[in-house]
C-alpha cells in the first residue's frame, strides 16, 4: 500500500466516515475489551485502505491507457505530416501530461529504473511506445 494515499482527500474522507461508522456500530461495552475493539478497527482500516488502493490503481491504469492511445495517435499524426501545426500541438499536449501522470503517482526513480533495465537488458535504449 503506497503511503502517498494518505494525501488523497477522497481517502481521508472515506477513512473518517469508516472510522465513525465503526465507532457507532461497535460501542464500548463490558463484553468487548478495548484491545479487541482496537484490533477490529485496525483490520477494518486495512480492508478499506486495500480496497481504496485497488480501485485507485484501476482508475489510474485506465487513465494511463487512454493517455497512451492519445499519445500514439499524436505521434502517428506528426510522423505522417511533420509540418502540421495540429499534430505538433497534440505532441506538445501529450508529452507533459504523460510526465505529470507518472510524477503524480510514481516517483521519478521508477521511470529511470525502467529506462536502465531496458538499456541493460536490450543492449540499447528503445523508444517509449
Amino acid at each position: 500500500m503506497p503511503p502517498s494515499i494518505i494525501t488523497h482527500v477522497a481517502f481521508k474522507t472515506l477513512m473518517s466516515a469508516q472510522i465513525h461508522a465503526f465507532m457507532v456500530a461497535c460501542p464500548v461495552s463490558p463484553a468487548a475489551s478495548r484491545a479487541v475493539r482496537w484490533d477490529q478497527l485496525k483490520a477494518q482500516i486495512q480492508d478499506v485502505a486495500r480496497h481504496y488502493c485497488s480501485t485507485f490503481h484501476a482508475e489510474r491504469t485506465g487513465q494511463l491507457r487512454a493517455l497512451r492511445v492519445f499519445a500514439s495517435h499524436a505521434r502517428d499524426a506528426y510522423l505522417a505530416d511533420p509540418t502540421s501545426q495540429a499534430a505538433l500541438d497534440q505532441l506538445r499536449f501529450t508529452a507533459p501530461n504523460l510526465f505529470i501522470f507518472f510524477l503524480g503517482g510514481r516517483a521519478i526513480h521508477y521511470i529511470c529504473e525502467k529506462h536502465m533495465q531496458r538499456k541493460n537488458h536490450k543492449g540499447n535504449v528503445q523508444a517509449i511506445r
Side-chain angles (χ1 to χ4, degrees):
M1 194 165 16
S4 63
I5 66 167
I6 293 172
T7 62
H8 298 182
V9 176
F11 178 73
K12 289 178 187 178
T13 304
L14 175 66
M15 193 57 70
S16 295
Q18 290 293 323
I19 291 172
H20 179 40
F22 178 84
M23 294 298 186
V24 170
C26 303
V28 176
S29 67
S33 70
R34 292 183 189 272
V36 170
R37 190 168 177 228
W38 172 241
D39 287 338
Q40 291 171 343
L41 178 60
K42 285 191 301 185
Q44 183 165 355
I45 289 171
Q46 289 174 348
D47 289 344
V48 169
R50 245 185 253 115
H51 177 70
Y52 180 84
C53 285
S54 65
T55 303
F56 181 72
H57 177 71
E59 288 172 3
R60 293 221 7 120
T61 301
Q63 291 170 352
L64 179 59
R65 191 173 294 123
L67 199 52
R68 283 183 174 165
V69 167
F70 184 79
S72 176
H73 291 309
R75 184 187 65 208
D76 292 344
Y78 180 75
L79 291 176
D81 184 12
T83 60
S84 169
Q85 186 63 36
L88 186 59
D89 288 343
Q90 281 183 340
L91 281 177
R92 286 183 180 150
F93 171 79
T94 304
N97 282 328
L98 278 171
F99 191 68
I100 289 168
F101 181 87
F102 277 105
L103 283 180
R106 300 176 186 194
I108 191 68
H109 74 271
Y110 176 81
I111 297 168
C112 295
E113 181 180 316
K114 287 295 183 186
H115 174 74
M116 292 306 294
Q117 285 176 354
R118 284 188 194 138
K119 186 177 179 181
N120 291 337
H121 290 289
K122 301 292 183 184
N124 59 2
V125 178
Q126 295 179 347
I128 297 175
R129 295 179 191 194

